[in-house]
Amino acid sequence: FTMSPAFFKPEVLLKYKSDREKYHLESGSISCRGAWYLQTFALNDAGQVTTYLGYLSRLPYEEQLHWKQYNERPKAPLSKKTIATDFEGQFYNEYDPLLSLKSKLETLHSAKVGWWILRGENALKKVNYPFTASTDEWADEFLNLDQLVIEGFEEKWLRQKANTLGRSPNPQLRPLKLAEECLIGTGFEEDHAHKLMSPFHDIHNLRSVLKGHATGSEAAEIKKQASKNFGSFRKHFETICAHCDESLEIVIQAFRALP
């Protein structure tokens, strides 16, 4: 049934991240605008990209050559998710921090809440996990995540609400600190409010350091610690997304109760 799996270096996906206008890279599929569609791909425990020969055979020949140059022997079996969904016909409900975060943000956008706004139609689609050990890819994804999540906080609304709640925030405070002021105004302890907003600050700080004009020793140290503490850039990114997703759920519930 043309379901023979093939294994590839993760760098095979960088081409599709480099041109977001032409390619649409989802969590498990790739499409080229008006030309072709790769129905599924996944990552195994060794970080290899996997897909099936049947799906690759439907790509244009030039695209098949692109994949061929990254083909390699398997370093680990197909992922548990791939086996469950593609061969056992089962739903796989394991928590995915980035997908969960995107889902919450899409709901906020649809609900037209005043405190968070989707900045650009493609912002949700642009953010993906880093797949390789490339520092540039890792930094680019934090830039995309910052543009999606952090730039979505609406300063004017948050400042007005903080004033309404009796907080009288400093005029120099930016959206993340204003959101913290709003949380305090709803009854959160200052330390708790600060802790809830810290994952958002982490994203913004990482974007600033990793994508700054002069990254220097600070960026090198962050890279070193990410590799040491998490094992890969993907795992580090995934952990940041999980913390952000957890905090966002509490913020949503708190702001939902605001007058």
Side-chain angles (χ1 to χ4, degrees), residues 14-24:
L14 293 181
K15 170 183 176 179
Y16 309 115
K17 284 189 169 187
S18 66
D19 190 345
R20 307 281 183 153
E21 294 297 321
K22 182 176 182 180
Y23 302 108
H24 184 195

Side-chain angles (χ1 to χ4, degrees), residues 155-163 169-173 178:
E155 182 172 343
K156 183 178 180 181
W157 189 99
L158 291 165
R159 188 175 300 280
Q160 290 177 344
K161 187 59 66 174
N163 281 311
N170 188 306
Q172 295 183 343
L173 293 186
L178 291 171

